[in-house]
Amino acid sequence: MTAAIRLEGLGKRYVLGRALDPHRTAREALVDAMSGAVRATASLLRRTAPTTGDDAFWALRDVSFDVPHGEALGLIGGNGAGKSTLLKLLTRITAPTAGRATIQGRVGSLLEVGTGFHPDLTGRENVFLNGAILGMRRDEVARKFDEIVAFAEVERFIDTPVKRYSSGMYLRLAFAVAAHLEPEVLLVDEVLAVGDAAFQAKCLGKMGDVTAEGRTVVFVSHNLDAIQRLCRRAVLLEGGRVVDAGRADEVVRGYLTRQLRRPSPAEWLDVSGLRRRGSGGARFAAVRFTTGEPALDGHPYPLGPLELQLEIDAAEGRSVSSLAVVIRDVGGTNLVNADIAAAEQTLRLEAGRNVVTLRIDSLYLNPGEYTVDLWVGDGGPTGLDYVESAFQLLVLDPRPAGTGPSLVVTGLVPCALRASVASGSMREGVRESSTAGSGGVDPRGAGR
Amino acid sequence: MIEPPTGRPSLGLGELWAYRELLYFITWRDIKVRYKQTALGASWAIIQPLLTMVVFSLFFGNLAKVPSDGVPYPLFSFVALVPWTFFANGLTQSANSVVASQQLVTKVYFPRLAIPIATVLSGAIDFVLAFVVLLGLMAAYGVAPTAHALLIVPLLLLAFVASLGVGLWLAALNVQYRDVRYAVPFLTQLWLFATPIAYPSSLLAEPWRTLYGLNPMVGVVEGYRWALLGAGSPPGRMVLMSCVAALVVLIGGILYFRRMEQTFADVI
């Protein structure tokens, strides 16, 4: 089977001075050009390649992989990993420095919604203009026009200049045009990161349709959940190179464990150098955590225990009334605030180093990635020390990978539950109305 | 197939043809939004050359008594200003066109040549409006167009080629060196006086007059005067010179633009 997209040793090098300084003046360029010419001539004489200097870097290096026809591939990696550069090469927006890529079929790209929208033109005019820019023919746009407008839900305003649109209407129309593009190969970058939740869900649904129709899709996103839902396979980029490729859920999991500041369990993590706030009367120096569960290498799991040890340096002996470990989700929402103040406990810190042990008996967190903040205070408004995002915590799925349901869990937090069944009816002799109101058990929830 | 640029020069006209519909849409957009949210609207297309003509007539025609090949001076200068305005506006706007389309350039692929071409093309609407005024002015002075009047169409094409040729060089340079933005108004001003708009090229003797045709706008302007008003002698050799010069600039411009467009998205 031939691949729809084949990358062979693809690379892109940027020369920092040129790529990052758009305001370089002609005089500087003249000097550079002359020194460059001298260097090039010298290297020609020595029959070697021109030296690149220290100011060149590879945004993408030696990237090779295939995407078979009809497959949806997720592209993940941190900021600056080279994801967007790769898409720009595939869409021919910029040319590669090395290697080559072969793409079979008509390519459509969605690097941004609303590209080329002109504020002074009406919605109708922009649909045609944007369609042409995205590579649709005029009759093709005309044929799908009603569908596009209906999807965007802007029928009433279609002849109004788009600068009078609300930002939501604008985005909906822009996405609607893009969503009705029908290329054989579709390249998508982060377009789902816009709009409200309902709109994002709609976009995601449309993306799902596109992949289900058997078109080849390359999808770049930081939304790992979406990647796992839409893509069967994923490629992880780091520093411009492919570091992992394979099943989407496995690559995502590998990516999560690779992220920075994710200490291994039972290993002391130095936090003394991190940015912090507070008066500084006591400071966190290091932290480690464990669950005492060998099966998951000591990683926490839903409803399991979590024990943290906190090294605190105190300037003088003092009592602290508040000491907390705050666990937030990737969106920044505080999910757990394990504070000794809630237990009305005070701790006595001696001058010098202290080790505080904090144990959470049951961790109500689903598998996923969390950020941990550390806080210590003595009742004052600013607190003694507050380290935001001290480290990342990975909560694992205790079921062996591959056999159970996927990592993607619905519901914000887990709950301890038990279900039982008895044969026959329990309602005999009981009035209908009282059953529904009593007991406190919602029958719809019992099966989950 | 995507590969590193080979450095082999090509004009990329085939690809441009494949994207002709996009070219049409960008031109159409540029025309549509040209005078959006302006009070005077399309009148601007007329005001610009008309006021310049008034100023020229006052200072060069009345005060300095510049000769005008036996044609009323206002008509003499206006017939030159109409194609000149098309050329100068096309040049100025195309020089800024690629930078102004930064959002498009960094987000979508299409032949970048379409941007400056559409920009110059959309100036044709202004030309038509100003030309109507020119016809009115001719009627007012009782000057009938000559039998060669249709030659102004190929001459307009010459102005287009010259405008686009220079515009391409400047547009590509502008992506990397924003100095261009400051140089362009200065350049067009100098060029205005290097072109026989306020004065006739008959002030020069041969062979200098023919050599003067190396400035492509000399051929256009003198061609217009001769074809529409019958002023001066047939500028055949001058126009030929201008055609050669304009084509050289255009082909050089396309090649330079094509070489630079590889890095537009990285540098812009």
Side-chain angles (χ1 to χ4, degrees):
Chain A
M1 186 174 67
T2 57
I5 304 175
R6 162 162 291 170
L7 310 185
E8 292 162 276
L10 206 62
K12 174 74 180 177
R13 194 185 69 211
Y14 283 104
V15 180
L16 285 181
R18 197 164 68 189
L20 299 184
D21 180 15
H23 303 297
R24 191 168 83 133
T25 64
R27 190 182 58 79
E28 287 164 348
L30 223 59
V31 173
D32 284 5
M34 279 192 284
S35 65
V38 170
R39 232 184 303 156
T41 320
S43 63
L44 205 68
L45 292 175
R46 279 184 277 118
R47 290 178 156 276
T48 54
T51 50
T52 53
D54 301 331
D55 52 355
F57 91 106
W58 290 85
L60 213 58
R61 184 122 212 210
D62 208 17
V63 172
S64 305
F65 60 82
D66 285 2
V67 187
H69 280 287
E71 186 172 278
L73 178 89
L75 208 54
I76 58 178
N79 290 326
K83 308 184 299 289
S84 297
T85 305
L86 182 53
L87 278 198
K88 281 189 175 178
L89 291 183
L90 292 181
T91 49
R92 298 211 288 156
I93 288 169
T94 182
T97 319
R100 66 175 180 177
T102 321
I103 303 183
Q104 286 179 0
R106 194 174 108 167
V107 180
S109 65
L110 268 182
L111 302 202
E112 193 180 81
V113 293
T115 314
F117 261 44
H118 196 289
D120 278 318
L121 296 178
T122 68
R124 182 187 304 276
E125 291 164 339
N126 268 310
V127 167
F128 279 91
L129 177 67
N130 191 230
I133 287 170
L134 292 175
M136 281 194 256
R137 290 204 323 276
R138 199 175 353 165
D139 51 345
E140 201 179 331
V141 181
R143 198 156 28 89
K144 293 182 189 155
F145 186 80
D146 291 337
E147 210 181 316
I148 290 173
V149 176
F151 184 88
E153 301 162 24
V154 293
E155 289 94 337
R156 281 179 52 210
F157 307 99
I158 196 63
D159 289 312
T160 308
V162 295
K163 66 178 172 185
R164 310 255 178 263
Y165 279 28
S166 73
S167 50
M169 285 159 61
Y170 185 95
L171 282 175
R172 287 204 303 272
L173 185 62
F175 185 84
V177 182
H180 290 80
L181 186 67
E182 283 181 351
E184 283 137 25
V185 177
L186 184 64
L187 309 168
V188 189
D189 190 4
E190 290 291 4
V191 278
L192 304 177
V194 293
D196 57 19
F199 179 65
Q200 287 197 16
K202 195 167 176 175
C203 299
L204 220 60
K206 187 75 193 173
M207 287 292 303
D209 293 348
V210 170
T211 48
E213 279 163 22
R215 257 176 271 159
T216 312
V217 181
V218 175
F219 181 40
V220 166
S221 182
H222 286 293
N223 185 342
L224 299 177
D225 185 41
I227 292 266
Q228 290 180 97
R229 248 187 293 164
L230 296 175
C231 307
R232 221 170 56 78
R233 288 202 320 133
V235 165
L236 171 62
L237 288 177
E238 207 174 271
R241 291 170 187 272
V242 175
V243 291
D244 196 7
R247 274 182 39 177
D249 53 346
E250 286 168 7
V251 175
V252 165
R253 184 193 292 247
Y255 169 58
L256 288 174
T257 52
R258 273 170 173 273
Q259 291 225 308
L260 282 174
R261 300 203 59 74
R262 182 193 305 290
S264 303
E267 179 185 293
W268 281 104
L269 178 77
D270 186 1
V271 297
S272 57
L274 296 182
R275 283 187 50 191
R276 62 228 298 146
R277 280 176 283 170
S279 64
R283 288 168 62 90
F284 291 101
V287 58
R288 70 171 178 175
F289 66 87
T290 177
T291 60
E293 182 74 51
L296 293 166
D297 305 328
H299 278 292
Y301 52 92
L303 305 178
L306 177 66
E307 192 170 289
L308 294 115
Q309 286 183 307
L310 309 161
E311 269 188 9
I312 303 177
D313 289 334
E316 59 199 88
R318 64 165 78 229
S319 290
V320 293
S321 55
S322 173
L323 186 144
V325 170
V326 181
I327 305 178
R328 292 183 289 118
D329 66 8
V330 274
T333 311
N334 281 6
L335 297 177
V336 174
N337 185 359
D339 193 336
I340 58 166
E344 292 183 9
Q345 208 182 342
T346 53
L347 293 177
R348 173 76 193 167
L349 297 180
E350 301 301 331
R353 178 148 299 185
N354 304 264
V355 177
V356 174
T357 301
L358 197 81
R359 186 181 159 84
I360 297 170
D361 284 330
S362 194
L363 193 63
Y364 284 88
L365 291 177
N366 273 328
E369 189 189 11
Y370 300 91
T371 306
V372 182
D373 303 344
L374 304 175
W375 158 273
V376 59
D378 56 0
T382 56
L384 298 167
D385 196 21
Y386 176 43
V387 186
E388 218 171 333
S389 304
F391 64 96
Q392 309 271 313
L393 189 68
L394 185 67
V395 177
L396 290 185
D397 190 337
R399 294 166 293 207
T403 57
S406 83
L407 190 66
V408 185
V409 195
T410 55
L412 195 59
V413 292
C415 61
L417 66 86
R418 216 189 337 259
S420 62
V421 61
S423 60
S425 171
M426 292 172 77
R427 278 190 294 164
E428 269 173 87
V430 183
R431 289 210 319 275
E432 285 283 314
S433 58
S434 64
T435 336
S438 67
V441 176
D442 182 350
R444 282 167 302 165
R448 291 221 181 163
Chain B
M1 178 77 86
I2 298 162
E3 283 181 316
T6 52
R8 195 174 52 236
S10 87
L11 295 178
L13 297 183
E15 196 181 26
L16 195 62
W17 177 248
Y19 278 84
R20 61 191 179 276
E21 205 163 73
L22 178 63
L23 180 64
Y24 161 78
F25 267 111
I26 298 181
T27 310
W28 168 83
R29 176 199 69 180
D30 284 353
I31 290 174
K32 272 227 116 146
V33 303
R34 207 169 179 81
Y35 297 110
K36 280 267 156 104
Q37 209 151 351
T38 58
L40 297 179
S43 323
W44 280 111
I46 299 162
I47 293 169
Q48 216 185 337
L50 210 59
L51 284 183
T52 316
M53 181 270 280
V54 170
V55 172
F56 278 15
S57 304
L58 256 147
F59 290 95
F60 297 107
N62 284 0
L63 295 176
K65 303 272 185 251
V66 172
S68 57
D69 286 342
V71 179
Y73 190 89
L75 201 52
F76 171 84
S77 58
F78 194 68
V79 79
L81 278 166
V82 170
W84 167 262
T85 309
F86 171 72
F87 168 81
N89 283 350
L91 187 157
T92 308
Q93 283 160 16
S94 60
N96 275 321
S97 61
V98 176
V99 172
S101 308
Q102 179 166 0
Q103 198 215 5
L104 276 187
V105 169
T106 54
K107 296 293 177 194
V108 198
Y109 176 79
F110 57 91
R112 310 309 191 195
L113 279 172
I115 302 173
I117 293 178
T119 309
V120 181
L121 276 180
S122 67
I125 195 83
D126 286 3
F127 174 85
V128 170
L129 292 172
F131 192 78
V132 172
V133 176
L134 173 63
L135 289 180
L137 204 64
M138 283 169 67
Y141 279 99
V143 178
T146 71
H148 316 291
L150 278 181
L151 283 176
I152 61 162
V153 176
L155 284 168
L156 181 65
L157 189 66
L158 174 59
F160 171 78
V161 167
S163 183
L164 181 64
V166 180
L168 284 176
W169 282 95
L170 294 175
L173 271 171
N174 200 8
V175 170
Q176 194 155 10
Y177 309 112
R178 301 290 148 88
D179 308 59
V180 169
R181 199 182 327 175
Y182 304 102
V184 164
F186 188 58
L187 175 76
T188 51
Q189 206 169 12
L190 285 185
W191 204 322
L192 172 69
F193 289 104
T195 306
I197 290 166
Y199 55 91
S201 67
S202 55
L203 291 178
L204 290 172
E206 290 293 354
W208 304 116
R209 191 162 176 254
T210 303
L211 274 179
Y212 195 20
L214 280 177
N215 169 359
M217 284 313 288
V218 172
V220 175
V221 163
E222 289 298 338
Y224 263 69
R225 281 197 184 124
W226 173 75
L228 279 174
L229 311 177
S233 50
R237 275 188 296 173
M238 238 161 44
V239 171
L240 202 67
M241 208 67 167
S242 292
C243 286
V244 172
L247 274 177
V248 168
V249 172
L250 178 69
I251 291 170
I254 294 178
L255 291 177
Y256 179 68
F257 188 93
R258 293 266 303 158
R259 197 160 66 86
M260 300 306 287
E261 78 176 357
Q262 309 279 357
T263 54
F264 276 178
D266 305 332
V267 178
I268 201 164

